[in-house]
Amino acid sequence: MATDTPIRIGVMGCAEIARKVSRAIHLAPNATIAAVASRSVEKAKSFATSNGYPESTKIHGSYESILEDPEVDALYVPLPTSLHVEWAIRAAEKGKHILLEKPVAMNVAEFDKIVAACEANGVQIMDGTMWVHNPRTAKLKEFLSDSDRFGQLKTVQSCFSFAGDEDFLKNDIRVKPGLDGLGALGDAGWYAIRATLLANNFELPNTVTAFPGAVLNEAGVILSCGASLTWEDGRTATIYCSFLANLTMEITAIGTNGTLRVHDFIIPFQETQASFTTSTKAWFNELVTAWVNPPSEHTVKTELPQEACMVREFARLVGEIKNKGAKPDGFWPSISRKTQLVVDAVKESVDKNYEQISLSGR
């Protein structure tokens, strides 16, 4: 059986993250880089050269121009968040499938407009959250849904922090209100919130309350914050995100029978394998702890780095639509929307002096 031709992806914008995703497109067996666009031909050209793009890559000196390119099936969009709504809608209207950097929008109302445009034009949209495509993540979900080893979920703690240097805190687009105005919440918080939702089977919490003590810069952009989430049946979660604390990317999920711990859930310490720890049925035994099975570390190997797994899955979905007339997969925009809803609620709580925000009916 002949393999389908690779999905031709255009890179729309030369952000730093685009370097990593460009490499991922090279590595994904079912995708190829067809074009790159920047606001100047020179910048697009030098980006293509420094990232080893194929000779055949078309160079576009404007975002409008790549939208018109008939040899581009899909677009990877790493533009600042404030530009997503305009360019993602324009891409969808031109029939281009969209791999959109996170956070997907400045708020859920903007994202709903993007999704409406994608639905109207039959295009796939997926956000750029790489770690959910790591083979390890499927194993985490397996343990979390094991009623014997893990039991019922009770609580999740998730955090992502890294210490931005002086230059980052002054000049990075993630601290500029007009560019990525959601700051650490939209960037780092997105991951912690996605982990929490994943552990809760993507069931939205009832309430979201930001912790007092959020740190904002002079322009009002969040540099550090935390929040608590609650569900109707008593499940709880806490998230923490910061540009001001040491690099930490952890998930702890506690069930009635077991505990899951992940120390590097966003970017694994190693590209070819990733680990997690589980413990089941522990109790106090006189002065020490006892287990039915001692805590064990599980290592999951991967042939491709997680970002290439993401591109491979995105290209697979696009190929199904392009070659077989399939419908776009609604799972991906639905989890993007839920993540954005919680981001919005944390921000609203911070803005309203740490008031509790209800998500019922949103």
Side-chain angles (χ1 to χ4, degrees):
M1 180 187 138
T3 54
D4 292 322
T5 52
I7 295 304
R8 301 165 301 180
I9 299 178
V11 176
M12 189 179 192
C14 302
E16 189 58 32
I17 188 72
R19 301 172 74 84
K20 191 173 194 175
V21 177
S22 296
R23 173 175 170 258
I25 298 167
H26 286 311
L27 290 171
N30 56 351
T32 184
I33 293 178
V36 59
S38 184
R39 281 169 298 192
S40 79
V41 171
E42 289 70 33
K43 188 171 179 195
K45 200 173 276 182
S46 87
F47 188 83
T49 306
S50 65
N51 286 282
Y53 280 17
E55 287 289 307
S56 57
T57 307
K58 288 201 354 236
I59 307 293
H60 292 278
S62 72
Y63 302 146
E64 285 86 355
S65 167
I66 200 170
L67 292 182
E68 301 297 337
D69 192 332
E71 288 169 14
V72 169
D73 300 311
L75 287 168
Y76 167 60
V77 184
L79 298 173
T81 310
S82 57
L83 300 178
H84 286 186
V85 68
E86 178 190 352
W87 291 104
I89 288 171
R90 289 174 71 167
E93 286 169 347
K94 294 290 181 185
K96 309 294 189 200
H97 303 276
I98 302 162
L99 180 60
L100 186 61
E101 254 323 315
K102 32 63 49 194
V104 287
M106 290 302 294
N107 53 58
V108 84
E110 282 189 1
F111 186 61
D112 285 345
K113 289 179 188 164
I114 294 171
V115 172
C118 291
E119 286 174 352
N121 294 281
V123 300
Q124 182 68 52
I125 184 166
M126 178 190 278
D127 72 47
T129 310
M130 299 167 182
W131 71 270
V132 297
H133 300 274
N134 192 307
R136 168 174 63 179
T137 304
K139 295 290 183 192
L140 303 182
K141 286 166 81 170
E142 214 173 90
F143 179 71
L144 290 169
S145 55
D146 186 322
S147 55
D148 183 48
R149 290 187 302 154
F150 185 72
Q152 304 307 123
L153 178 69
K154 287 296 180 185
T155 192
V156 189
Q157 282 98 44
S158 181
C159 68
F160 181 24
S161 62
F162 58 89
D165 61 19
E166 200 180 330
D167 178 61
F168 176 94
L169 294 173
K170 198 176 287 178
N171 301 314
D172 195 89
I173 66 165
R174 286 166 282 185
V175 300
K176 306 275 188 193
L179 295 169
D180 273 342
L182 294 169
L185 173 60
D187 184 47
W190 181 273
Y191 293 104
I193 290 166
R194 174 64 59 84
T196 297
L197 288 172
L198 182 126
N200 282 279
N201 237 344
F202 295 104
E203 189 188 325
L204 277 170
N206 275 32
T207 71
V208 174
T209 314
F211 295 133
V215 179
L216 281 64
N217 67 10
E218 285 169 10
V221 175
I222 293 172
L223 300 179
S224 172
C225 70
S228 68
L229 289 64
T230 67
W231 281 259
E232 208 151 60
D233 62 1
R235 278 170 289 155
T236 62
T238 61
I239 62 121
Y240 174 73
C241 55
S242 179
F243 290 157
L244 306 173
N246 186 51
L247 176 63
T248 303
M249 29 189 184
E250 305 219 334
I251 305 170
T252 301
I254 307 171
T256 47
N257 295 338
T259 305
L260 168 74
R261 289 192 178 85
V262 193
H263 293 301
D264 59 347
F265 81 96
I266 296 154
I267 299 173
F269 298 140
Q270 291 174 278
E271 201 166 61
T272 52
Q273 60 181 55
S275 302
F276 62 99
T277 307
T278 61
S279 59
T280 297
K281 297 178 182 161
W283 66 92
F284 293 117
N285 179 20
E286 293 298 334
L287 301 176
V288 292
T289 316
W291 290 273
V292 172
N293 297 306
S296 54
E297 188 170 25
H298 311 268
T299 299
V300 183
K301 294 197 180 321
T302 173
E303 286 169 30
L304 290 173
Q306 61 184 15
E307 58 272 20
C309 295
M310 172 181 75
V311 171
R312 181 178 60 188
E313 177 60 11
F314 174 67
R316 186 188 71 77
L317 293 170
V318 172
E320 293 284 315
I321 297 164
K322 185 185 171 188
N323 304 318
K324 300 178 185 166
K327 292 263 179 285
D329 185 342
F331 170 73
W332 297 104
S334 81
I335 66 169
S336 300
R337 186 178 194 274
K338 286 175 176 177
T339 312
Q340 185 75 47
L341 263 174
V342 178
V343 166
D344 289 5
V346 176
K347 183 167 190 315
E348 189 183 340
S349 180
V350 170
D351 291 346
K352 291 184 172 171
N353 204 21
Y354 310 108
E355 196 180 287
Q356 185 179 83
I357 305 299
S358 167
L359 277 184
S360 305
R362 289 200 190 186

